[in-house]
């Protein structure tokens, strides 16, 4: 019975793509307050779309930040399960803008890829779900399953208000299982089931010395240099063997089992050097890059700044310097505890002569793992394989999706991560893109999946 | 015979200050190309002024960068010495602009200080000399000494073209001695003779990893973080005891003699903590802050940047990170050799997995020292004491004035550094200012000095 929907998607591909482009053209950058109106515009686009395809109770739920789109479809009847579909309509900033080959908000198809900020993370994948719902509604006149839609606008800034909503509106959002498409496949056209995600936490360190920039000739020799102090602090957090040297950081880490190391070894590996242009890979002593990215915790410096950054030289001792740090956590590690360990460490190694402040990131999430053998996972794998004509692989990933941990914690329902991105998508970077293959076969996969899970058992 | 000139300065104080304000209102920031026209405007201001006070051969000498103002006065006759007066009309950038209490280019007098970028470094002090020349010309109709004026517009960017001009126009610029007012006193109204300056050199380090910013979840664990790599490199250059840990850095350093340490101890000390707001001072192991700033070499990080600096978090591994480093050198150290040692060190400690580039600063200068007992120095001290009514102290300073080393090397003439700045002037920083006392008594000092050195002996 899914043939009609598939046919519809093929026949209406052009309209659908131009509709997707309309969505991608809205610069819904949630982290930067000056895009507030655009974030709101992207939200309205979804509200209109859901109304057009006859979803019920379509709501724009206001929060302290950006609104959440809610909607329901109950036409599948009580024998069919209810799925909670989660996605996000906000996107990452686009800087450095000069590194983009085309305008991040003027979608462009080049060599079988759709280039635009959000094409892969996550507007493109959100759109695929709505398009599949549209296909079913405009052909069968109904969906095989009942649906609750939850699309937020704050994922890229830590889903600050979602947790509270999910908790306070437990009745409204309750479902039999959840489906999220905000992840990727290990390689283009390689069906991939994500059964594990990393947790996440972070801090920001600011080192302040003098209350104004000083002439390095007049004060050099009497004043601690804040950038040097910060460098000393940062250099004590990870050694050259990529081992994190924060006391207690690894204490609660659930070790990689031999089975998992075997599973990871079997995953078709991305060529990290080719994909990133680095001279060579580095990874935690005793672990391969694949093992480290998928199954071991990480600590990364996301940004640093202080003093003069302009043309030429400025012979100053800067007043302050700041570094942004985030960690990806594995099962066993507690984000709050890790933040605490980081803070303790920083203050312990901070040199005298400067004031060191640690700001704890609000965003935090535990790591997530589901059994690869769960029936809903198996059915997803079948649908994938049917659409892409290839066996599905099972992986854990270094990414973090806080909402996954929250849905699990609040609703205790299985969560299926159906991701269609590829390693070449350049998420969070200039020239983000999404393969047209993923768009097409991804929607096919969803059509099969809904058909596949339509009866509760 | 200098009374008339002194009287003139008092009576015309208001006009002179408004004329100085006109000069200070021109944003002649040499380091930033978009201010090129303003730099040129500041140059024209001086050309006009020198013509107005009847200097001869007033020239705007074009260079590959910003022009140099040249002029002569030969009316004192052959019995009088000829002084080469050097100064600069360019200023430092003004960022962070939001830290200024008043517009850096709208001069404002508050609590006995003139606030403006360049008020102390060096437009204010340059203007004092021209005003004193004006006072002599408009009263005596002549100056006690012959003068050659050399005012450049590239001091803040390393006087890139001056050296070549000084060499190629040796005849034109040749004089019996040189006077420069681009320095300060150890304390407000404390006559100070600067008999030693530090040399200067620098490098810029750029660490590049991936060819684009990477998603920290997808690649964290396989890729060396450029900011972390840079931090590791920087942290090996100086230890917590403020000792520079570059092999060979101190090899050629002329040690501080007991006499000099005694001289330094006698200098009324600035309260570094009060002036800068730091929790406590730090200095090279075995040396006091005063000894380190005046007589020991330094290495400072002037700026650092890489990755995300905006609002909120951006979970990336940045593509690259850059640090700007400058060193202040003491007698004995060779700038080119120090640059070489720095470059060697950086490449030696650079971790694998990233590409590390070292850019050598063009600006470099050896340190400078003159005998405090030289008659021209003694006369300067007398003039100072007469004007300020206080004994003159002799100091070495951490600042670098490349031109001093060049004039000495090319012309082999004594150089007198008559500086009127104060430790509170905030050179190179927001809220730069210059005390009205220095302006008044400084000009008085210059009047006495020209009168004092008018006959060759």
């Amino acid at each position: 019975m899914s043939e009609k929907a598939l046919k519809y998607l093929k026949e209406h591909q052009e309209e659908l793509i131009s509709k997707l482009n309309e969505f991608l053209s809205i610069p819904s950058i949630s982290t930067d307050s000056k895009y507030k109106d655009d974030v709101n515009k992207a939200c309205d686009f979804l509200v209109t779309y859901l109304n057009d395809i006859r979803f019920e109770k379509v709501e724009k739920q206001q929060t302290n930040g950006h609104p959440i789109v809610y909607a329901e479809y109950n036409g599948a009847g009580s024998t069919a399960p209810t799925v909670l579909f989660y996605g996000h309509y906000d996107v990452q900033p686009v800087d450095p803008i000069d590194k983009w080959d085309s305008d991040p908000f003027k979608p462009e198809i080049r060599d079988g890829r759709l280039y635009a900020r959000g094409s892969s993370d996550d507007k493109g994948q959100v759109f695929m779900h709505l398009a599949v719902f549209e296909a079913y509604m405009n052909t069968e006149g109904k969906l095989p399953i009942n649906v609750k839609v939850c699309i937020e606008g704050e994922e890229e800034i830590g889903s600050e208000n979602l947790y509270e909503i999910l908790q306070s509106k437990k009745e409204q959002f309750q479902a039999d299982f959840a489906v999220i498409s905000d992840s990727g496949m290990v390689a283009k056209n390689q069906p991939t089931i994500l059964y594990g995600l990393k947790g996440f936490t972070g801090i920001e360190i600011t080192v302040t010395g003098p209350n104004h920039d000083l002439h390095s000739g007049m004060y050099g020799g009497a004043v601690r240099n804040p950038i040097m102090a910060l460098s000393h602090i940062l250099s004590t957090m990870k050694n050259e063997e990529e081992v994190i040297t924060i006391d207690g950081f690894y204490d609660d880490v659930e070790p990689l089992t031999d089975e998992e190391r075997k599973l990871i070894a079997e995953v078709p590996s991305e060529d990290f050097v080719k994909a990133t242009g680095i001279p060579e890979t580095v990874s935690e002593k005793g672990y391969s890059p694949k093992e480290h990215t998928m199954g071991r915790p990480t600590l990364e410096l996301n940004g640093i700044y202080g003093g003069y950054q302009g043309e030429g030289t400025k012979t100053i001792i800067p007043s302050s310097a700041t570094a942004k740090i985030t960690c990806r956590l594995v099962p066993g590690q507690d984000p709050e505890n890790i933040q605490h360990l980081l803070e303790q460490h920083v203050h312990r190694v901070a040199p005298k002569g400067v004031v060191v402040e640690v700001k704890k990131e609000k965003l935090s999430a535990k790591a997530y793992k589901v059994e690869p053998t769960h029936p809903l996972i198996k059915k997803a794998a079948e649908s994938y394989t049917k659409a892409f004509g290839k066996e599905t692989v099972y992986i854990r990933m270094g990414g973090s999706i806080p909402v996954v941990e929250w849905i699990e914690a609040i609703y205790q329902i299985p969560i299926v991560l159906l991701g269609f991105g590829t390693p070449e998508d350049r998420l969070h970077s200039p020239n983000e893109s999404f393969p047209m293959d993923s768009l097409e076969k991804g929607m096919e996969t969803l059509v099969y999946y809904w058909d596949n899970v339509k009866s509760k058992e």
Side-chain angles (χ1 to χ4, degrees), chain A residues 1 14 32 49 64 90 105 145 173 258 260 274 399 415:
Chain A
M1 68 155 278
E14 256 184 43
D32 190 338
Y49 198 167
N64 296 331
D90 63 324
F105 298 110
I145 36 84
F173 286 80
D258 295 349
E260 270 188 311
K274 191 160 153 299
I415 300 157

Side-chain angles (χ1 to χ4, degrees), chain A residues 83-84 175-179 368 370 374 376-377 407-408 411-417:
Chain A
V83 61
L84 173 64
D176 299 311
F177 67 106
V179 167
Y368 167 82
V370 64
H374 191 288
L376 285 165
I377 298 288
I407 291 173
E408 190 190 32
Y411 300 91
Q412 279 124 31
I413 54 174
I415 300 157
V416 181
L417 302 170

Side-chain angles (χ1 to χ4, degrees), chain A residues 42-199:
Chain A
C43 176
D44 292 337
F45 172 94
L46 295 173
V47 168
T48 310
Y49 198 167
L50 287 160
N51 279 314
D52 291 348
I53 58 174
R54 310 194 299 285
F55 268 56
E56 306 149 34
K57 305 186 183 153
V58 182
E59 293 174 15
K60 185 168 165 180
Q61 298 187 345
Q62 297 302 339
T63 71
N64 296 331
H66 303 301
I68 288 168
V69 178
Y70 177 83
E72 284 182 13
Y73 174 79
N74 302 309
S78 57
T79 59
T82 300
V83 61
L84 173 64
F85 165 61
Y86 164 88
H88 66 92
Y89 62 83
D90 63 324
V91 298
Q92 279 275 320
V94 294
D95 54 303
I97 185 68
D98 56 305
K99 293 259 179 83
W100 286 78
D101 297 332
S102 58
D103 186 324
F105 298 110
K106 289 212 181 75
E108 196 175 288
I109 297 174
R110 296 195 300 271
D111 326 319
R113 285 187 159 269
L114 178 58
Y115 285 87
R117 170 59 88 222
S119 55
S120 178
D121 177 15
D122 180 40
K123 282 162 140 184
Q125 302 200 54
V126 163
F127 185 87
M128 285 160 67
H129 280 270
L130 301 197
V132 166
F133 293 149
E134 173 187 333
Y136 267 111
M137 294 301 280
N138 292 357
T139 53
E140 306 289 339
K142 62 192 289 296
L143 301 183
I145 36 84
N146 300 309
V147 182
K148 290 181 176 180
V149 172
C150 171
I151 308 172
E152 71 160 322
E154 300 187 305
E155 198 274 342
E156 302 296 2
I157 50 173
S159 306
E160 281 183 6
N161 297 289
L162 183 67
Y163 183 80
E164 192 241 318
I165 295 264
L166 288 177
Q167 267 213 325
S168 59
K169 307 200 167 180
K170 203 155 180 276
E171 305 298 300
Q172 187 179 29
F173 286 80
Q174 186 65 60
D176 299 311
F177 67 106
V179 167
I180 300 175
S181 300
D182 191 21
S183 52
M185 311 185 285
V186 292
K188 193 165 173 253
N189 296 329
Q190 170 57 63
T192 306
I193 290 280
L194 193 51
Y195 71 97
L197 284 167
K198 281 184 182 173

Side-chain angles (χ1 to χ4, degrees), chain A residues 298-327:
Chain A
T298 62
L299 180 147
E300 297 295 347
L301 296 170
N302 310 121
I304 192 165
Y305 58 94
Y308 186 63
Q309 304 187 14
E311 240 182 280
T313 55
K314 191 156 184 250
T315 52
I316 55 166
I317 299 171
S319 172
S320 71
T322 298
K324 292 169 178 278
I325 302 177
T326 51
C327 294

Side-chain angles (χ1 to χ4, degrees), chain A residues 169-421:
Chain A
K169 307 200 167 180
K170 203 155 180 276
E171 305 298 300
Q172 187 179 29
F173 286 80
Q174 186 65 60
D176 299 311
F177 67 106
V179 167
I180 300 175
S181 300
D182 191 21
S183 52
M185 311 185 285
V186 292
K188 193 165 173 253
N189 296 329
Q190 170 57 63
T192 306
I193 290 280
L194 193 51
Y195 71 97
L197 284 167
K198 281 184 182 173
F200 177 103
T201 193
I203 61 169
E204 185 176 281
I205 306 172
T206 297
V207 176
T208 305
N211 52 25
H212 60 283
D213 294 347
L214 302 176
H215 187 293
S216 70
M218 292 171 64
Y219 295 97
V223 172
R224 180 82 70 188
N225 185 302
I227 301 176
M228 184 58 89
L230 181 58
S231 300
H232 274 286
I233 292 168
L234 298 176
S235 65
T236 64
M237 302 179 104
K238 197 155 78 169
N239 67 22
E240 200 169 327
E241 291 171 316
E242 292 293 308
V243 175
I244 295 156
T245 47
I246 311 280
D247 290 351
F249 187 88
Y250 294 104
D251 285 1
D252 306 324
V253 168
E254 196 178 279
L256 279 179
T257 64
D258 295 349
E259 295 68 34
E260 270 188 311
R261 294 183 89 154
K262 203 167 145 296
L263 207 57
I264 290 171
E266 283 161 3
V267 175
S269 176
E270 175 185 10
D271 183 336
F272 288 118
V273 170
K274 191 160 153 299
T276 65
I278 55 174
E280 61 187 305
T281 59
V282 295
S283 58
E284 182 184 348
K285 191 183 184 193
Y287 298 90
S288 71
K290 242 163 52 174
E291 288 172 337
H292 193 177
T293 51
M294 293 184 183
R296 296 285 300 174
T298 62
L299 180 147
E300 297 295 347
L301 296 170
N302 310 121
I304 192 165
Y305 58 94
Y308 186 63
Q309 304 187 14
E311 240 182 280
T313 55
K314 191 156 184 250
T315 52
I316 55 166
I317 299 171
S319 172
S320 71
T322 298
K324 292 169 178 278
I325 302 177
T326 51
C327 294
R328 302 280 183 172
L329 310 175
V330 296
Q333 292 182 294
D334 173 62
E336 281 65 34
N337 179 46
I338 293 296
Q339 269 185 327
H340 175 66
L341 293 176
L342 290 172
E343 188 182 32
Q344 269 188 324
H345 178 89
V346 169
H347 289 306
R348 190 166 56 71
V349 300
K352 64 176 191 164
V354 289
V355 176
V356 178
E357 287 159 300
V358 173
K359 197 174 118 209
K360 290 177 174 175
E361 274 306 331
K362 278 195 235 88
L363 164 57
S364 266
K366 286 208 185 75
Y368 167 82
K369 246 174 98 180
V370 64
E371 274 324 304
T373 53
H374 191 288
L376 285 165
I377 298 288
K378 285 286 164 217
K379 285 180 177 181
E382 286 159 26
S383 310
Y384 249 130
T385 301
K386 193 168 167 191
F388 285 84
K390 214 159 170 213
E391 271 311 309
T392 302
V393 296
Y394 295 79
I395 64 159
R396 282 172 63 168
M397 236 186 178
S400 316
I401 311 179
V403 66
V404 171
E405 189 235 336
W406 299 341
I407 291 173
E408 190 190 32
I410 300 169
Y411 300 91
Q412 279 124 31
I413 54 174
I415 300 157
V416 181
L417 302 170
L418 283 175
F420 301 103

